[in-house]
Amino acid sequence: TYPPNGVAITEKYITLKGQIDRANNLLINGREANIDEKGAFSDEIVIFPGINMITVTAKDQFGRSTEDRLTLVGNNNSSSTTP
């Protein structure tokens, strides 16, 4: 899965990419994502400043599901602060 877990992100949007086997339904943060015929997926995600938890849930044809969690750190605050 790209980006890797725990990485700092400076952009406001990223494209989450990955590969999945034997799944016919994929949810990223509860929203359905497309899977191509080779099992590749990608979805645009909004990154907020601070900790961003992303949950990827895959379900196979028999209804069995597996879940993976990804934590990204948003470092995209463009406003400057003066102490």
Side-chain angles (χ1 to χ4, degrees):
T1 305
Y2 174 84
N5 191 36
V7 73
I9 304 292
T10 57
E11 294 85 13
K12 291 188 179 199
Y13 301 93
I14 58 133
T15 301
L16 181 68
K17 299 177 186 180
Q19 186 78 26
I20 194 156
D21 294 324
R22 296 185 295 271
N24 60 353
N25 184 291
L26 183 70
L27 299 175
I28 299 175
N29 286 347
R31 192 178 68 195
E32 193 165 349
N34 292 325
I35 308 168
D36 73 12
E37 65 278 353
K38 295 180 181 178
F41 67 88
S42 67
D43 195 34
E44 190 170 278
I45 303 289
V46 176
I47 300 296
F48 297 99
I51 302 295
N52 291 260
M53 298 294 293
I54 298 170
T55 303
V56 179
T57 307
K59 191 178 285 188
D60 70 11
Q61 64 184 6
F62 302 109
R64 297 177 294 209
S65 64
T66 185
E67 186 174 279
D68 195 13
R69 293 199 174 125
L70 183 65
T71 302
L72 302 175
V73 180
N75 190 14
N76 55 22
N77 190 352
S78 60
S79 63
S80 60
T81 58
T82 306

